[in-house]
Amino acid sequence: MADDILFDLLHMEMIVSVFQPDSNDCKKSTMSKLEQIGFYTGYRLVERLTKDWPRFKDELDTMKFICKELWLWMYKKQIDNLRTNHQGVYVLQDNSFRFLTQLSQSKQYVESTCKYLAFSCGVIRGALSNLDIKCVVTAEVSSPPACKFQVQVQRI
Amino acid sequence: MIYNLYIFDQNGTCLYYHEWNRKRSSGMSNEEETKLMYGMIFSIKSFVSKISPTDCKDGFMNFKTNKYKLNFYETPSGLKFIMNTDVGATDVRALLHEIYRQVYVEYVVKNPEVLLGHSISSELFKKKLDEFVQSSSIYSKVF
């Protein structure tokens, strides 16, 4: 019970401390730093999570794993909506994202919400990378606490 | 019937003030009023604990006039909640404790955009506090 809030607080502090020294214009590099942290976290996490799982049948199956199991492990809930165009673009929609529920439910703070999604984008990218899917993950928040993660698979 | 609510931190900064049913204003600016409130509460608290003829457990909890009752709740971290209600209101301390637990901790402590030690800017906090207070039985009961 107490360890849920530990993750929330650690995440909050990580964002504050990564952003603080670069207060002028290095916003992009700090966002990518956060995303890198998420990448390696997701990479190792998925190794641990799938140790007893059979191989995934296809890409869609892997995405479903991310939406259900990974999200359940990290955020105690599943993704609410998964959409795809079957050509490598997936949109994951979470209607009440864990790090945004206490932040705002209106348009207040909407400019700073992207900071809180960078780590999670990295986790998705890292997890998929270890499952042999190279991709680019972006996120957008149109109406907090709902947010959408867009995964674009890069096929060589 | 709940009239208004003040929230102070351990340094005396007024973090939040809201009124629901205030019919009479005190005639001074909000800043002066909150400073007066904090100073008075601080003095009453220390007076009460010094004068107490038996061992003090909770210390100052409320004072009553024939028109209103001022209820006080302090958390272990030094946060002070002061609520003015009508004379017959009961269990206000429990209500203040719940406000701390369910509204303050959730929407201020866990909100990374709110700076601790400054007045609370989160709209979500204001909305949730309003909902919580208006749904309590003390708000709707009028004596």
Side-chain angles (χ1 to χ4, degrees):
Chain A
M1 213 171 69
D3 39 356
D4 286 351
I5 188 175
L6 208 58
F7 181 40
D8 290 330
L9 291 175
L10 188 63
H11 183 257
M12 255 165 64
E13 275 315 305
M14 174 174 73
I15 291 173
V16 167
S17 65
V18 163
F19 266 86
Q20 230 167 33
D22 302 329
S23 53
N24 32 8
D25 52 355
C26 306
K27 195 165 177 213
K28 274 200 191 133
S29 65
T30 42
M31 294 278 267
S32 54
K33 216 188 284 183
L34 273 175
E35 214 256 352
Q36 273 292 70
I37 297 176
F39 179 80
Y40 287 113
T41 312
Y43 195 88
R44 288 173 216 262
L45 186 64
V46 93
E47 191 78 61
R48 164 75 176 75
L49 285 184
T50 55
K51 69 181 165 79
D52 295 320
W53 276 63
R55 281 185 71 83
F56 293 110
K57 287 196 297 268
D58 58 10
E59 205 175 83
L60 188 58
D61 220 26
T62 321
M63 289 309 297
K64 284 194 201 158
F65 168 80
I66 300 277
C67 294
K68 293 192 192 153
E69 305 297 323
L70 184 76
W71 228 253
L72 206 59
W73 262 75
M74 284 194 63
Y75 307 115
K76 306 273 182 296
K77 65 186 286 286
Q78 296 184 357
I79 282 275
D80 296 305
N81 198 348
L82 170 68
R83 285 203 296 271
T84 173
N85 67 355
H86 294 290
Q87 276 163 21
V89 180
Y90 298 87
V91 178
L92 286 69
Q93 186 170 340
D94 189 340
N95 288 333
S96 92
F97 189 55
R98 180 172 167 176
F99 298 130
L100 295 179
T101 40
Q102 273 94 7
L103 191 62
S104 131
Q105 273 174 15
S106 60
K107 294 290 175 193
Q108 196 192 22
Y109 301 132
V110 104
E111 312 84 41
S112 30
T113 47
C114 43
K115 289 192 274 194
Y116 302 99
L117 300 170
F119 175 77
S120 309
C121 287
V123 169
I124 299 176
R125 191 167 73 91
L128 287 172
S129 161
N130 202 0
L131 295 169
D132 211 23
I133 298 180
K134 286 206 180 5
C135 59
V136 172
V137 183
T138 51
E140 65 159 297
V141 180
S142 44
S143 55
C147 65
K148 293 195 182 125
F149 293 91
Q150 184 173 352
V151 178
Q152 207 149 7
V153 176
Q154 293 176 321
R155 298 197 178 138
I156 308 138
Chain B
M1 170 71 72
I2 291 180
Y3 297 126
N4 53 13
L5 173 70
Y6 300 76
I7 304 181
F8 290 98
D9 73 353
Q10 57 267 55
N11 300 322
T13 326
C14 182
L15 300 177
Y16 190 66
Y17 167 71
H18 194 263
E19 56 192 37
W20 285 272
N21 281 312
R22 188 172 186 168
K23 297 192 187 76
R24 187 184 160 279
S25 100
S26 63
M28 48 180 136
S29 75
N30 198 32
E31 202 191 310
E32 283 175 6
E33 187 181 304
T34 52
K35 272 200 219 158
L36 179 65
M37 174 64 87
Y38 183 78
M40 196 61 214
I41 293 293
F42 188 79
S43 314
I44 294 182
K45 251 182 42 165
S46 81
F47 171 75
V48 155
S49 63
K50 283 189 189 131
I51 292 286
S52 161
T54 62
D55 285 324
C56 220
K57 191 168 168 268
D58 278 325
F60 172 60
M61 297 202 309
N62 57 51
F63 75 64
K64 231 174 10 181
T65 72
N66 63 346
K67 288 290 179 192
Y68 74 95
K69 185 172 172 185
L70 180 140
N71 302 277
F72 173 70
Y73 174 69
E74 185 173 4
T75 70
S77 57
L79 217 56
K80 300 173 176 54
F81 289 81
I82 297 166
M83 185 182 261
N84 288 324
T85 62
D86 61 0
V87 183
T90 51
D91 285 334
V92 185
R93 230 173 122 78
L95 176 70
L96 288 174
H97 179 69
E98 286 306 306
I99 289 179
Y100 171 62
R101 207 166 70 95
Q102 290 178 25
V103 184
Y104 185 83
V105 169
E106 287 296 318
Y107 299 105
V108 174
V109 175
K110 287 190 187 175
N111 183 343
E113 294 291 321
V114 171
L115 300 164
L116 301 172
H118 289 79
S119 80
I120 299 170
S121 55
S122 159
E123 293 289 329
L124 188 58
F125 168 75
K126 292 178 187 158
K127 193 175 98 152
K128 292 282 171 181
L129 179 68
D130 215 20
E131 274 170 22
F132 192 84
V133 166
Q134 290 189 1
S135 68
S136 84
S137 56
I138 304 178
Y139 185 78
S140 33
K141 260 196 288 196
V142 181
F143 287 90

